[in-house]
Amino acid sequence: MLGIDPGLTRCGVGIVDVDRARRGTLVHVGVIRSAPDAEIGDRLAIVAAGIRAAIAEHRPDAVAVERVFAQQNTHTVMGTAQASGVALLIAAEAGLPAATHTPSEVKAAVTGYGSADKRQVQAMIARILRLDAPPQPADAADALAIALCHAWRRGAPSTSRSGGGLTPAQRAWADAERVARTYLRAGS
């Protein structure tokens, strides 16, 4: 499972294997970097080349990308959205199923709390993947969190209204998904 935290200056790329017991193992983590003063086309080409290289080397079975939400800084949102589009295009070209997840879905999946901060996400990724230290920078940890979120979602037990059989983190994740769906329907 390939997770991508899209960005132009730093695009996090994380690949994990997840077994039937939902245990994750780190396969690859990195950050694709481009110079902020380079032309946008060149920056997107760098991101594309980095994602293609990760797919070619590690052959993930699916791609998950963090869904872009509007922020105050329009310039940042545009660059993030463009990098996200490149990631989704490359997944399609490679014949890989692709999905997007909101930041709150991802945070809830790995920490049990949809408003967790960067340090909490990094700490939980280190714990879940049994790493000696949290992945740096935060973009790398975010990419791994996105990959885990999607892998767990694909194999997640069905959720009932009572939440029977779900861990507290899985219930928080299901709640975050419901909120995201409601938000998306309201915006349509």
Side-chain angles (χ1 to χ4, degrees):
M1 171 62 53
L2 168 59
I4 298 173
D5 182 31
L8 283 178
T9 304
R10 288 181 320 273
C11 180
V13 177
I15 301 175
V16 296
D17 278 336
V18 177
D19 66 19
R20 290 182 181 262
R22 299 170 55 96
R23 286 184 303 254
T25 303
L26 175 67
V27 173
H28 169 77
V29 66
V31 176
I32 303 162
R33 298 177 189 273
S34 71
D37 58 349
E39 294 292 325
I40 185 71
D42 294 335
R43 296 179 80 187
L44 290 170
I46 291 167
V47 169
I51 294 170
R52 282 190 182 106
I55 289 172
E57 183 175 346
H58 301 289
R59 304 210 184 284
D61 63 349
V63 176
V65 181
E66 187 173 84
R67 186 176 300 151
V68 180
F69 269 88
Q71 302 170 356
Q72 297 288 2
N73 185 339
T74 311
H75 183 71
T76 300
V77 169
M78 289 300 295
T80 302
Q82 290 164 332
S84 178
V86 165
L88 293 169
L89 171 68
I90 291 168
E93 287 176 347
L96 296 172
T100 61
H101 297 283
T102 66
S104 61
E105 284 178 88
V106 173
K107 291 173 185 180
V110 298
T111 70
Y113 179 57
S115 296
D117 64 28
K118 295 266 185 205
R119 282 188 191 176
Q120 290 169 313
V121 171
Q122 287 174 299
M124 283 305 295
I125 291 302
R127 186 173 177 188
I128 291 165
L129 296 176
R130 299 167 307 282
L131 305 175
D132 292 335
Q136 296 291 340
D139 309 276
D142 289 349
L144 293 169
I146 294 160
L148 285 168
C149 173
H150 189 68
W152 288 342
R153 182 178 187 193
R154 288 192 318 176
S158 60
T159 58
S160 65
R161 287 182 164 246
S162 67
L166 299 179
T167 67
Q170 290 170 327
R171 277 193 297 279
W173 171 31
D175 291 342
E177 285 183 315
R178 263 192 305 285
V179 169
R181 282 192 300 272
T182 302
Y183 173 79
L184 289 172
R185 277 189 225 119
S188 303

